[in-house]
């Protein structure tokens, strides 16, 4: 299972952003967070694509959210990280951490 | 801000496309983002990015479920189909080649002319407040006819601004009938500067030009200030700082450089190299050899531009101008009908008034070119339709097999369309490359300055996309439907065809007729324009312009010492004669108003100011009376008139009536003193040294360059400040027909291309017809038909079509040619010759094409063709 569910770079960043919001979050605020953390722009379709893939892989779950005027009467789709999502994050972190430690002295 | 919403149609598109589960999220998020962008940037960017994002949202993940399944099965087919399509294209190399060539040529024409059109229609749009800028024009009356004048009197602008302070005006003055020269002072090199304008300090309030140095609001405020362009700064000052340096006008009047402007865009109806303050007008006039006339409202010498206040309507403003005219214009100025306004954006395309700063593009010509480009594309598409339709029977086997294996009708259509699409797309790539290669020649031909980058603007790319799709759809759909319809008829009976049923369908025939109508129309028009042009160029003008060299002498010391100059000149055997003239003879003259005899009203007449040697220099014949005689002192007060002017005198009694109480001493031949665009009128010739703007020198045949050099040497003996300049009269006169010359070369190119395409199409069509009937021909030959009989058979299929095409094109052609020729007072007669010639060319080309393309099939041994089955 793990070998099938590889996770792309952008997907990983978005997974992290979603995981950082305990109450769950949605497309536009993910975009805002992304800009805040990584200092570069991102398009909504790109986020949606990653969200779909992450959800398909079972790392995220989604539910219907509220309506605001600016959305033209459309519901939000709120994403929350799942347990397997958290596990994936921790796996990634461990893998990276061990490498960071090797590089550590030179940083 | 509240009124701006994301485009609705995009939402509908998304609703149609997206999965119900995701639709709220996609549209909602995009909306939020849209408003965010609207806050940070502007509506255009927000909308554009919205559209862009929406398109990117159209991906498989958001798609409705049923589309997903459909699409994945189809995407497999797509691979297969494009592979098949490629095979099909490759298999019929000849046909593919012809179609490719046709589309490439057609698309290239379209690309170039579309961009030309686009470029020309965006002239003058770099001014920030361009939509508020207007030019004031004058409507004059002459002999009961009104005419537009781009020039206005000096006081008009300031009076307007005085009466209506909310209007900002600026005037542009170019030295009257003289190209001025600038220098850095005595002993420094001087250059003629034709793009020097004298203007008001409000210039930069109206027009948007960037100053690199200097302050736009201050630069032209003080008398004697001048703003030069970077180009000019480089020319006169090199890399030194030009600010506050002196530049001399005609070596007589100093100007201080108060600003350096960025080189102005030449995509404008006027460009400048220098702008000088329009103050101390008398001094400027004196420096350039003119005297400032005091009848300020009479003389039209400046172009007046203004910034219209935002809240005034155009029609209201026209009313204000009428009021202004009534209030300020002296009552006896009956030659002024009124003043009018022109939008800045309308000037470059279509304004053809007297006294334009530089000639504008004829809007009608421009549209004609665009239409011609589209028409050529149309011919290419017709070729494609014809050729592919005739091919469709050939691929029946392939299509039938596919049908049997369960392909739907629409899948077959899509497959054939895909093939067309591949072809067109490939042709488009070729034509893009070809356009880039041809661009320099194109620029030269049309005297424009398109850059490669101009071919790839966002708008241009959208148009390309749209036109390529349209072509694929229009040219692809008929052959596809045709082929699929055949499959339905045939069902699974492979390869068995009811041939008679679709030998030459009506659609195809009418397309051939249309194509040949267009081609013959173009040939016909080329002939007409050719004839008219050669009439303009070759018409006997009744004066000698060969080897006549014109030197502008206004304001020079040569003019002051003209008698001595002429004497020295005529000592050389290289020069046969010389006369001063006020205008470029054969190009244009000015109007004057004169009292004939005891008339109570003035009569307008063309007027030419010359000296005693005029008739001799230009070899103009005297009809009655006598020529000027230098020995008779009073002759400097006398007039000569042309034959046409005689009718203005009561009973033709010119000898006694005289003009303005001065004697008329002779009548000269009606020579064409103005270009052939104007009907010849009455002409009055007078001796006047003040109006000696040019010296016309008749050179002896032979080494003209050496003669010109000798003139230049002599000039520098007389005038050390003003540089020598001049031109050959014959060239100048021919240049005035440049528009016609351009139209002529373009149309001949167009008609050759159209003809070439039509030939290609015909070639393929005949080729196919013959192949299709090869067994029939074989049988006929076995039964004793001769080679000629067989050729006859093939010709017969096309002769009615050509008859029809010729008939159609001639009736349209005559109508259009009449319209076009109306603009020339001197025009060719429409006779049978161009018709016969067109028909001849068409028939010859068609016959040769049919003959060549069918020869092999006709000559082949029938045993071989019949032995197939």
């Amino acid at each position: 299972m793990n070998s099938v569910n590889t996770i792309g770079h952008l997907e990983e960043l978005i997974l992290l952003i979603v995981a950082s919001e305990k109450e769950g979050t949605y497309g536009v605020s993910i975009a805002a967070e992304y800009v805040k953390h990584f200092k570069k722009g991102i398009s909504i379709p790109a986020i949606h694509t990653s969200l779909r893939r992450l959800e398909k892989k079972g790392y995220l779950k989604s539910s219907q959210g509220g309506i605001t005027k600016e959305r033209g009467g459309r519901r939000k789709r709120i994403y929350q990280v799942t347990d397997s999502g958290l596990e994936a994050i921790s796996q990634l972190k461990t893998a990276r951490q061990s490498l960071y430690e090797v590089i550590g002295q030179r940083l | 801000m509240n009124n701006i919403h994301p485009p609705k149609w995009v939402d509908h598109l998304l609703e149609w496309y997206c999965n119900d589960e995701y639709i709220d999220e996609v549209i909602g998020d995009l909306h939020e983002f849209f408003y965010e962008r609207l806050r940070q940037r502007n509506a255009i960017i927000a909308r554009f990015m919205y559209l862009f994002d929406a398109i990117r949202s159209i991906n498989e993940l958001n798609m409705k479920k049923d589309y997903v399944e459909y699409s994945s099965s189809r995407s497999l087919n797509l691979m297969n189909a494009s592979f098949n399509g490629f095979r099909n294209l490759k298999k019929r190399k000849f046909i593919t080649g012809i179609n490719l060539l046709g589309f490439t040529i057609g698309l290239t024409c379209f690309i170039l002319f579309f961009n030309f059109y686009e470029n020309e229609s965006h002239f003058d749009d770099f001014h920030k407040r361009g939509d508020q800028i207007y030019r004031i024009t004058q409507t004059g009356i002459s002999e009961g006819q009104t005419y537009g004048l781009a020039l206005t009197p000096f006081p008009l602008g300031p009076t307007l601004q005085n009466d209506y302070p909310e209007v900002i005006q600026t005037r542009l003055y170019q030295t009257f009938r003289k190209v001025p020269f600038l220098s850095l002072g005595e002993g420094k090199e001087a250059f003629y500067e034709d793009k020097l304008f004298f203007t008001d300090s409000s210039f930069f309030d109206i027009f948007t030009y960037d100053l690199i140095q200097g302050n736009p609001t201050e630069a032209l405020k003080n008398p004697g200030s001048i703003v030069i362009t970077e180009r000019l700064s480089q020319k006169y000052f090199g890399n030194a700082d030009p600010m506050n340096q002196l530049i001399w006008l005609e070596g007589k009047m100093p100007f201080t450089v108060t600003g350096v402007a960025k080189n102005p865009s030449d995509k404008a109806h006027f460009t400048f190299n220098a702008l000088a303050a329009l103050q101390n007008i008398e001094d400027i006039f004196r420096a350039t050899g003119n005297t400032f006339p005091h009848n300020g409202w009479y003389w039209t010498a400046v172009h007046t531009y203004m910034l219209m206040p935002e809240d005034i309507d155009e029609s209201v403003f026209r009313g204000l101008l009428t009021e202004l005219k009534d209030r300020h214009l002296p009552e006896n100025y009956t030659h002024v009908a009124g003043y009018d306004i022109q939008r800045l954006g309308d000037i470059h395309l279509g304004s053809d008034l007297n006294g334009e700063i530089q000639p504008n593009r004829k809007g009608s010509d421009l549209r004609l070119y665009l239409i011609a480009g589209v028409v050529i594309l149309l011919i290419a598409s017709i070729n494609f339709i014809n050729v592919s339709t005739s091919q469709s029977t050939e691929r029946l086997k392939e299509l039938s097999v596919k049908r049997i294996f369960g392909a739907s009708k629409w899948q077959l259509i899509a497959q054939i369309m895909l093939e067309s699409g591949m072809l067109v797309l490939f042709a488009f790539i070729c034509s893009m490359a070809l356009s880039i290669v041809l661009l320099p020649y194109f620029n030269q031909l049309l005297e424009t300055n398109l850059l490669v980058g101009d071919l790839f603007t966002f708008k241009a790319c959208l148009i390309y996309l749209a036109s390529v799709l349209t072509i694929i759809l229009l040219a692809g759909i008929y052959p596809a439907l045709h082929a699929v319809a055949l499959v339905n008829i045939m069902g699974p009976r492979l390869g068995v065809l009811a041939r008679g049923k679709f030998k030459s369908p009506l659609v195809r025939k009418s397309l051939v007729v249309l194509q040949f109508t267009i081609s013959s129309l173009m040939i016909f028009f080329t002939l007409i324009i050719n004839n008219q042009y050669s009439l303009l160029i070759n018409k006997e003008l009744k004066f000698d312009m060969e080897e006549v060299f014109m030197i502008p002498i206004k304001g020079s010391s040569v003019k002051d010492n003209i008698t001595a100059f002429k004497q020295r000149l005529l000592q050389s055997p290289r020069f046969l004669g010389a006369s001063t003239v006020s205008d470029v003879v054969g190009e244009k003259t000015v109007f004057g108003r004169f009292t004939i005899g005891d008339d109570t009203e003035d009569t307008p007449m063309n007027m030419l100011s010359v000296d005693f040697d005029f008739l001799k220099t230009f070899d103009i014949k005297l009809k009655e009376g006598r020529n000027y005689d230098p020995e008779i002192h009073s002759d400097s007060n006398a007039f000569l008139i042309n034959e046409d002017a005689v009718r203005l005198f009561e009973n033709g009694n010119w000898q006694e009536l005289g003009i303005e109480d001065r004697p008329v001493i002779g009548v000269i031949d009606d020579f064409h003193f103005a270009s052939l665009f104007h009907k010849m009128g009455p002409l009055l010739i007078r001796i006047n040294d003040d109006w000696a703007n040019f010296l016309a020198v008749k050179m002896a045949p032979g080494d003209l360059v050496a003669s010109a050099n000798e003139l230049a040497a002599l000039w520098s003996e007389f005038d050390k400040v003003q540089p020598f300049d001049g031109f050959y009269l014959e060239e100048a006169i021919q240049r005035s027909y440049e528009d016609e010359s351009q139209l002529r070369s373009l149309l001949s190119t167009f008609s050759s291309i159209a003809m070439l395409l039509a030939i290609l199409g015909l070639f393929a069509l005949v080729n196919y017809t013959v192949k299709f009937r090869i067994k029939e021909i074989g049988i006929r030959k076995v039964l004793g038909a001769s080679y000629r009989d067989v050729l006859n058979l093939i010709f017969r299929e096309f002769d009615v079509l050509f008859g029809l095409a010729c008939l159609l094109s001639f009736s349209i052609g005559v109508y259009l040619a009449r319209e076009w020729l109306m603009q020339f007072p001197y025009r060719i007669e429409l006779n049978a010759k161009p018709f016969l010639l067109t028909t001849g060319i068409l028939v010859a080309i068609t016959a040769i094409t049919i003959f060549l393309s069918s020869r092999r099939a006709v000559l082949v041994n029938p045993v071989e063709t019949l032995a197939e089955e």
Side-chain angles (χ1 to χ4, degrees):
Chain A
M1 194 65 185
N2 261 345
S3 62
V4 176
N5 282 352
T6 49
I7 184 165
H9 175 65
L10 182 62
E11 286 171 34
E12 183 187 345
L13 300 183
I14 287 180
L15 180 61
L16 288 174
I17 291 173
V18 176
S20 69
E21 299 283 341
K22 232 185 172 146
E23 300 301 314
T25 181
Y26 74 108
V28 177
S29 67
I30 293 174
E33 284 295 304
Y34 185 91
V35 174
K36 198 173 105 193
H37 287 287
F38 305 112
K39 307 281 179 268
K40 55 183 178 185
I42 184 167
S43 78
I44 289 288
I47 292 176
H48 285 166
T49 306
S50 301
L51 289 173
R52 306 268 184 280
R53 291 194 177 130
L54 287 168
E55 193 172 11
K56 205 171 164 195
K57 289 168 190 168
Y59 296 148
L60 297 181
K61 59 183 184 218
S62 62
S63 58
Q64 297 287 2
I67 304 171
T68 66
K69 191 174 162 244
E70 281 207 336
R71 296 181 61 83
R74 302 283 180 180
R75 286 183 172 280
K76 286 177 187 171
R77 193 178 183 86
I78 306 289
Y79 290 87
Q80 274 174 304
V81 71
T82 60
D83 291 343
S84 71
L86 284 171
E87 194 184 319
I89 293 173
S90 98
Q91 269 179 22
L92 281 168
K93 190 187 166 196
T94 328
R96 292 200 174 173
Q97 200 58 46
S98 59
L99 283 170
Y100 289 150
E101 270 159 23
V102 178
I103 307 166
Q105 300 94 341
R106 285 158 52 196
L107 279 175
Chain B
M1 189 93 171
N2 284 331
N3 305 331
I4 301 167
H5 299 293
K8 272 256 154 51
W9 64 272
V10 181
D11 290 355
H12 291 313
L13 180 74
L14 287 173
E15 272 165 20
W16 170 77
Y17 182 85
C18 277
N19 195 324
D20 285 344
E21 205 183 331
Y22 293 128
I23 181 73
D24 274 11
E25 180 188 19
V26 171
I27 294 187
D29 283 5
L30 286 182
H31 272 230
E32 270 189 59
F33 230 60
F34 172 82
Y35 291 113
E36 185 61 33
R37 282 205 179 97
L38 198 60
R39 271 189 292 275
Q40 286 170 6
R41 311 292 285 276
N42 60 44
I44 297 166
I45 293 184
R47 261 175 221 272
F48 177 73
M49 292 305 295
Y50 185 81
L51 177 62
F52 187 64
D53 280 349
I55 290 170
R56 293 218 303 175
S57 295
I58 297 182
N59 55 40
E60 213 154 321
L61 293 169
N62 289 332
M63 204 192 269
K64 282 187 178 150
K65 278 283 174 316
D66 44 341
Y67 293 150
V68 176
E69 275 150 28
Y70 183 53
S71 131
S72 60
S73 73
R74 205 171 48 176
S75 63
L76 258 178
N77 270 347
L78 192 76
M79 287 268 291
N80 186 349
S82 25
F83 201 65
N84 258 334
F86 187 64
R87 278 185 192 143
N88 266 324
L89 292 176
K90 222 172 86 179
K91 179 182 160 205
R92 298 187 298 269
K93 284 195 189 73
F94 173 67
I95 296 293
T96 307
I98 283 182
N99 281 332
L100 202 59
L101 189 64
F103 272 132
T104 306
I105 294 173
L107 279 167
T108 309
C109 286
F110 177 73
I111 290 171
L112 288 175
F113 280 98
F114 166 73
N115 282 298
F116 175 62
Y117 183 85
E118 194 51 28
N119 186 49
E120 294 285 321
S121 43
H122 283 100
F123 265 48
D124 289 309
D125 66 356
F126 53 88
H127 299 293
K128 278 207 188 82
R129 294 202 270 177
D131 51 344
Q132 276 171 265
I133 303 178
Y134 287 78
R135 182 167 79 177
I136 306 185
T137 61
Q138 179 170 319
T139 314
I141 308 178
S142 163
E143 296 192 76
Q145 301 228 309
T146 59
Y147 61 94
L149 195 60
L151 289 161
T152 48
F154 268 102
L156 177 67
T159 310
L160 179 71
Q161 192 155 5
N162 193 40
D163 288 10
Y164 306 104
E166 62 273 29
V167 172
I168 303 174
Q169 68 87 30
T170 199
R171 294 167 296 169
L172 294 183
Y173 167 71
Q174 278 183 298
T175 48
F176 181 58
R177 294 162 127 215
K178 162 142 188 39
V179 178
F181 63 94
L182 298 176
S183 66
L184 288 190
E186 220 166 303
K188 298 274 176 49
E189 198 180 349
F191 301 96
Y192 283 104
E193 296 298 347
D194 60 346
K195 286 173 183 152
L196 164 64
F197 292 90
F198 296 88
T199 181
D200 292 313
S201 60
S202 47
F203 182 87
F204 292 110
D205 296 336
I206 295 179
F207 299 111
T208 310
Y209 291 104
D210 293 336
L211 288 192
I212 300 167
Q213 280 178 287
N215 179 349
T217 52
E218 301 290 325
L220 293 169
K221 219 164 203 166
N222 298 318
S225 16
I226 189 169
V227 172
I228 59 176
T229 57
E230 283 174 280
R231 210 180 294 130
L232 216 63
S233 167
Q234 188 68 31
K235 183 164 156 190
Y236 286 90
F237 298 101
N239 293 326
D241 182 13
M243 287 298 276
N244 300 319
Q245 301 290 316
L246 286 187
I247 287 191
W248 291 77
L249 172 68
E250 304 262 319
K252 291 171 192 145
M253 191 179 174
F255 281 86
T256 314
V257 178
T258 51
V260 180
K262 235 184 186 166
N263 286 333
S265 158
D266 54 5
K267 278 178 69 174
H269 79 282
F270 76 92
T271 56
F272 62 87
N273 275 335
L275 299 167
L278 183 60
Q279 294 179 50
N280 301 347
I281 300 178
E282 283 89 347
D283 293 341
I284 295 172
F285 270 64
R286 210 170 301 125
T288 50
N290 292 304
T291 38
F292 186 67
H294 290 287
N295 49 352
W297 282 93
Y298 193 83
W299 186 41
T300 52
V302 287
H303 293 93
T304 308
Y305 294 83
M306 58 150 198
L307 203 59
M308 175 100 84
E310 269 171 283
D311 50 353
I312 294 191
D313 200 56
E314 273 181 38
S315 55
V316 173
F317 192 81
R318 287 199 171 90
L320 293 184
L321 280 175
T322 314
E323 273 174 37
L324 182 124
K325 180 204 156 218
D326 294 342
R327 200 160 43 232
H328 295 281
L329 211 64
E331 234 166 61
N332 57 344
Y333 280 22
T334 47
H335 65 286
V336 182
Y339 298 103
D340 200 359
I341 47 176
Q342 250 180 335
R343 281 166 201 268
L344 178 71
D346 294 342
I347 296 177
H348 177 68
L349 287 188
S351 176
D352 186 21
L353 307 179
N354 290 325
E356 295 283 351
I357 298 180
Q358 56 194 40
N360 292 315
R361 220 32 107 168
K362 271 191 198 157
S364 55
D365 281 2
L366 197 68
R367 273 189 295 277
L368 189 73
Y369 297 153
L370 188 67
I371 291 172
V374 172
V375 161
I376 288 195
L377 198 52
L378 184 73
I379 295 183
S381 306
I382 291 178
N383 262 0
F384 177 80
I385 294 176
N386 274 338
V387 175
S388 340
T389 316
S390 44
Q391 289 292 312
S392 49
T393 41
E394 280 204 357
R395 55 187 312 171
L396 268 185
K397 286 184 194 169
E398 176 204 336
L399 295 178
S400 298
V401 170
K402 284 204 168 140
R403 195 86 174 87
I404 291 166
F405 282 91
S408 76
K409 212 165 123 184
W410 290 110
Q411 271 172 325
L412 292 188
I413 291 176
Q415 189 213 325
I416 301 175
M417 296 277 285
L418 183 82
E419 261 176 62
S420 316
M422 283 165 66
L423 189 85
V424 176
L425 222 57
F426 191 60
F428 174 70
I429 294 168
C430 294
S431 58
M432 218 54 233
L434 193 61
S435 301
I436 292 170
V437 173
L438 290 179
L439 200 59
Y441 305 100
F442 183 77
N443 279 336
Q444 210 177 2
L445 189 68
L446 281 168
E447 288 166 37
T448 168
N449 195 16
L450 282 178
L451 305 172
V452 173
D454 292 338
L455 302 182
F456 294 97
T457 56
F458 178 68
K459 186 170 173 193
C461 290
L462 274 187
I463 293 286
Y464 299 155
L465 188 71
S467 37
V468 164
L469 287 180
T470 314
I471 296 170
I472 294 175
L473 213 65
L474 285 185
I477 195 87
Y478 180 72
L481 288 177
H482 180 80
V484 172
L486 289 185
V487 175
N488 276 356
I489 300 169
M490 294 299 101
R493 295 198 297 156
L494 292 184
V496 185
L497 304 173
R499 290 189 178 185
K501 213 169 179 179
F502 37 89
K503 207 166 78 185
S504 232
L506 188 68
V507 176
R508 223 164 74 203
K509 275 190 173 161
S510 7
L511 286 177
V512 175
V513 171
L514 179 64
Q515 199 175 23
F516 270 80
T517 307
I518 295 171
S519 311
S520 63
L521 202 60
M522 279 187 161
I523 295 179
F524 177 68
F525 243 87
T526 311
L527 290 174
I528 294 280
I529 287 173
N530 236 334
N531 291 349
Q532 176 65 26
Y533 180 68
S534 61
L535 175 120
L536 291 177
I537 285 290
N538 298 327
K539 189 166 171 65
E540 176 60 60
L541 298 181
K542 299 184 187 164
F543 71 93
D544 188 9
M545 57 179 166
E546 269 170 54
E547 289 121 19
V548 171
F549 194 78
M550 302 285 284
I551 312 169
I553 55 170
K554 193 172 194 171
S556 72
S557 355
V558 172
K559 183 180 165 181
D560 301 336
N561 303 299
I562 192 68
T563 326
F565 187 81
K566 272 174 70 175
Q567 243 165 26
R568 282 286 304 278
L569 186 92
L570 293 173
Q571 281 166 12
S572 160
R574 288 185 182 280
F575 308 109
L576 304 177
S579 167
T580 61
V581 281
S582 52
D583 297 88
V584 179
V585 179
E587 209 176 70
K588 60 177 181 191
T589 53
V590 285
F591 262 111
R593 307 179 72 81
F594 303 93
T595 324
I596 295 179
D598 307 324
D599 287 0
T600 46
E601 256 183 52
D602 291 350
T603 311
M605 285 171 93
N606 294 286
M607 175 176 80
L608 207 54
S609 307
V610 299
D611 71 15
F612 284 89
D613 298 323
F614 176 67
L615 292 193
K616 187 181 152 242
T617 309
F618 287 95
D619 193 20
I620 295 166
K621 288 183 191 61
L622 194 67
K623 289 280 177 175
E624 278 179 80
R626 59 179 182 87
N627 190 2
Y628 286 122
D629 187 346
E631 303 294 318
I632 302 173
H633 191 67
S634 64
D635 268 10
S636 54
N637 264 327
F639 295 123
L640 290 176
I641 53 171
N642 68 349
E643 284 185 285
D644 193 57
V646 173
R647 69 181 162 85
L648 300 174
F649 292 82
E650 211 180 320
N651 303 325
N653 190 1
W654 52 270
Q655 291 94 335
E656 281 169 28
L657 284 174
I659 295 174
E660 306 261 302
D661 295 328
R662 287 154 70 177
V664 177
I665 55 169
V667 177
I668 56 166
D669 198 9
D670 274 336
F671 74 102
H672 286 272
F673 50 84
S675 78
L676 297 175
F677 292 116
H678 307 282
K679 192 98 193 132
M680 173 140 34
L683 174 73
L684 174 124
I685 290 177
R686 62 171 188 182
I687 305 271
N688 189 324
D689 288 342
D690 288 343
W691 285 65
N693 297 323
F694 298 94
L695 181 66
V697 180
K698 168 78 180 168
M699 295 173 169
D703 190 351
L704 296 183
V705 177
S707 304
N709 284 339
E710 197 177 320
L711 268 181
L714 188 62
W715 173 279
S716 54
E717 272 180 48
F718 277 77
D719 194 320
K720 298 196 166 41
V721 188
Q722 181 160 348
F724 175 76
D725 192 23
F727 53 89
Y728 292 100
L729 185 59
E730 196 171 3
E731 285 173 17
I733 290 175
Q734 276 177 11
R735 252 201 309 278
S736 44
Y737 306 115
E738 218 159 63
D739 270 1
E740 280 62 40
S741 154
Q742 201 178 65
L743 193 65
R744 170 173 156 256
S745 42
L746 268 171
L747 259 178
S748 23
T749 316
F750 272 141
S751 50
S752 325
I753 292 175
M755 203 60 228
L756 179 77
L757 288 181
I759 291 172
L760 284 179
L762 186 68
F763 196 78
L765 205 61
V766 173
N767 212 332
Y768 168 75
T769 314
V770 172
K771 232 194 237 164
F772 196 82
R773 299 173 73 171
I774 200 138
K775 290 215 169 84
E776 179 195 337
I777 293 171
I779 291 168
R780 280 174 192 269
K781 281 175 88 171
V782 168
L783 292 180
S786 70
Y787 175 56
R788 262 181 58 189
D789 293 335
V790 177
L791 267 187
N792 253 342
L793 191 75
I794 298 164
F795 272 99
R796 214 179 305 143
E797 205 167 316
F798 293 93
D799 56 4
V800 182
L801 299 188
F802 291 124
L804 206 60
C806 286
L807 214 68
L808 258 175
S809 67
F810 290 154
S811 36
I812 303 171
V814 170
Y815 173 74
L816 290 178
R818 276 233 182 91
E819 289 282 295
W820 185 73
L821 287 171
M822 281 308 258
Q823 60 174 312
F824 303 97
Y826 300 95
R827 51 180 175 252
I828 51 165
E829 290 294 319
L830 277 183
N831 53 25
K833 232 168 95 184
F835 299 104
L836 291 179
L837 205 57
T838 310
T839 319
I841 293 175
L842 264 184
V843 166
I845 288 179
T846 316
I848 293 172
T849 311
I850 293 181
F851 179 71
L852 285 182
S853 53
S854 59
R855 206 171 67 110
R856 212 167 23 162
V858 176
L859 284 178
V860 78
N861 188 344
V863 175
E864 280 171 33
T865 54
L866 290 175
E868 196 188 305
E869 280 167 36

